[in-house]
Amino acid sequence: MTLFLAVVVIGAATLMYTQLQAEKRSLQNEAKQHQVTKQSKESDIIATYLDKMTLEEKVGSLFFGRLPDEETAVKDLEKYHVGGFILFGRDFEGRELEDVKALTNRLQKHTPIPLIIGSDEEGGLVTRVSAILPEPFLSPMELYHSGKGLEAIKEDTISKAKLLKSIGIQTGLSPVADYATNSTSFIYDRTIGEDIDTTASYVKTVVEVMKRQKFGSTLKHFPGYGDNGDSHTDLIYDSRTVKELEKEAFLPFKAGIEAGADSVLVSHNILTEIDPVPASISPKINQLLRKDLHFDGVIMTDDLDMAGLADFISQEEAAYRVIEAGNDFILGSHYDTQIPYLLDKIEAGKLSEERINQSVRRILKWKYRLGLLSE
């Protein structure tokens, strides 16, 4: 009798386990099908937008320009079709939050494809909106050492994302994924100021929070600033090898990419052991991101007006080299001469429309995921 009961119990348990496994597989298949349907819908919407764009609109959409005065910006949207604008400190001066919201709304009304509007909002030394807030956004380092560690950074990221979205800003061009060991180095105070593992955890945390908030994330400054000087004011030469970068500098970027980062900003530093040109125009640096770190999102440049690039190459040729290298989004203020230059390169057969389309698709995908594109 006891043996019989044991067999019955085992049989029932086996049947229940089999049913649970079947249900689990069914749920997994449903989730996969949902994801496939979602991706197909995304691809269809992006293809629809792309098909309607003229060549001039496609080329213009590759530019993430410094916001000029509003009157000029409106004219430039109609003439150059830029993909986005970045607000700097001057764009917040003398304004209230509602004024900034009104400004971004007016800009969006002058373009058939919504703009990505950004502002450098790392906190601490680099924050634009803080100029008109009662309390400024603190740096990652200050937040981490507040006694709450990464929890303080999570809370700050949520608060910042909600505030910026409320005034029409979709990305804060952060987090800083750089790792520096020297407290006197240029980038150190903009980092979290901890060991490489904590830096990677910080980057992962921020990206995940931004993703949940549908707020654009940007890992910067690839391939990692290290303890180098300031490329705003000079050409910067970095002698680190790929193997050295893989051991430390790449780790926070890898963590951010695996967490689903939308974009990566590439510095102008010249990695002499990899390519004798600024990273922002280097095909080899691009391939490290695409092939080694498997990043398929938007790759943008640091501001092309910075001396680290401007002292190396002309603005027009730099824009061409950015796209030729495989990058997507060009930051700077000279789009009025760079866009015609790229169109001339296409007409001359030195740059293909399909190459332009590759970058436009990535930028449109980012806009779609930020909720900017209508279905």
Side-chain angles (χ1 to χ4, degrees):
M1 186 66 175
T2 302
L3 179 60
F4 174 75
L5 287 173
V7 171
V8 171
V9 170
I10 291 171
T14 301
L15 179 61
M16 184 179 293
Y17 175 77
T18 302
Q19 290 174 334
L20 287 171
Q21 289 298 105
E23 289 176 9
K24 182 179 178 182
R25 285 194 295 272
S26 177
L27 289 171
Q28 288 174 337
N29 288 335
E30 286 180 18
K32 286 180 181 177
Q33 185 58 45
H34 175 73
Q35 185 64 24
V36 169
T37 303
K38 185 178 177 182
Q39 290 174 345
S40 177
K41 181 181 178 182
E42 177 184 89
S43 297
D44 289 345
I45 290 169
I46 290 166
T48 299
Y49 271 92
L50 187 66
D51 288 345
K52 292 179 180 178
M53 295 173 72
T54 65
L55 178 60
E56 289 75 16
E57 288 173 330
K58 291 176 182 178
V59 172
S61 74
L62 307 180
F63 288 81
F64 201 5
R66 282 176 174 248
L67 182 68
D69 65 86
E70 187 177 347
E71 184 180 352
T72 301
V74 169
K75 291 178 180 177
D76 286 353
L77 285 172
E78 295 171 355
K79 185 175 183 179
Y80 298 113
H81 321 288
V82 297
F85 279 126
I86 300 175
L87 277 60
F88 282 78
R90 68 187 183 196
D91 303 307
F92 293 94
E93 290 175 3
R95 288 187 162 114
E96 301 291 334
L97 290 174
E98 286 303 312
D99 298 325
V100 179
K101 181 179 180 179
L103 169 64
T104 59
N105 284 341
R106 288 194 297 271
L107 292 172
Q108 294 288 16
K109 288 178 181 177
H110 289 279
T111 175
I113 299 176
L115 303 163
I116 289 181
I117 297 179
S119 175
D120 281 299
E121 300 297 346
E122 301 166 14
L125 291 175
V126 182
T127 170
R128 314 304 184 192
V129 73
S130 287
I132 60 172
L133 298 180
E135 295 290 334
F137 284 113
L138 299 179
S139 71
M141 196 181 299
E142 290 171 314
L143 290 166
Y144 188 77
H145 292 132
S146 67
K148 297 175 67 177
L150 290 178
E151 190 58 35
I153 286 169
K154 285 183 186 178
E155 293 171 2
D156 176 79
T157 303
I158 292 170
S159 174
K160 195 183 294 180
K162 287 182 176 179
L163 182 141
L164 291 169
K165 284 177 66 178
S166 76
I167 58 173
I169 294 173
Q170 295 84 34
T171 178
L173 298 172
S174 65
V176 170
D178 297 302
Y179 172 64
T181 57
N182 186 342
S183 62
T184 65
S185 63
F186 163 70
I187 204 66
Y188 184 82
D189 288 336
R190 293 166 63 185
T191 73
I192 193 172
E194 296 295 316
D195 60 52
I196 194 66
D197 291 333
T198 304
T199 301
S201 295
Y202 154 69
V203 171
K204 176 177 181 289
T205 297
V206 173
V207 170
E208 288 175 344
V209 172
M210 287 182 173
K211 199 171 187 68
R212 288 194 292 271
Q213 295 294 320
K214 291 188 77 172
F215 186 70
S217 56
T218 302
L219 310 179
K220 62 186 187 186
H221 309 76
F222 192 80
Y225 226 101
D227 290 319
N228 291 292
D230 182 2
S231 59
H232 289 83
T233 59
D234 204 357
L235 293 170
I236 301 299
Y237 295 89
D238 184 336
S239 62
R240 287 177 295 174
T241 64
V242 171
K243 286 187 177 180
E244 287 174 318
L245 292 167
E246 287 173 341
K247 287 178 182 178
E248 285 188 333
F250 282 2
L251 300 183
F253 289 94
K254 185 176 180 182
I257 289 167
E258 290 175 352
D262 298 305
S263 64
V264 174
L265 183 149
V266 180
S267 78
H268 300 313
N269 295 353
I270 300 170
L271 281 295
T272 56
E273 296 299 309
I274 301 172
D275 204 348
V277 301
S280 52
I281 60 172
S282 167
K284 292 180 180 178
I285 295 296
N286 175 277
Q287 287 305 294
L288 287 173
L289 259 179
R290 294 288 188 215
K291 291 188 176 180
D292 291 29
L293 298 187
H294 310 291
F295 180 65
D296 62 359
V298 172
I299 299 178
M300 67 175 73
T301 69
D302 211 338
D303 193 330
L304 298 196
D305 292 328
M306 293 164 59
L309 184 83
D311 289 352
F312 186 89
I313 193 172
S314 74
Q315 289 291 310
E316 294 72 29
E317 185 67 13
Y320 169 59
R321 295 277 293 275
V322 166
I323 302 304
E324 190 179 43
N327 301 327
D328 308 302
F329 223 9
I330 301 170
L331 276 63
S333 59
H334 295 280
Y335 53 81
D336 58 333
T337 59
Q338 292 163 327
I339 290 170
Y341 191 81
L342 289 185
L343 289 168
D344 287 345
K345 288 290 185 182
I346 294 169
E347 188 175 354
K350 295 182 178 179
L351 190 61
S352 71
E353 185 170 359
E354 179 48 40
R355 169 65 197 92
I356 299 298
N357 288 346
Q358 290 170 0
S359 288
V360 176
R361 286 190 193 98
R362 294 189 191 105
I363 293 166
L364 288 173
K365 182 184 289 187
W366 191 13
K367 291 183 177 183
Y368 176 80
R369 292 182 177 180
L370 291 175
L372 289 170
L373 302 187
S374 61
E375 300 180 6

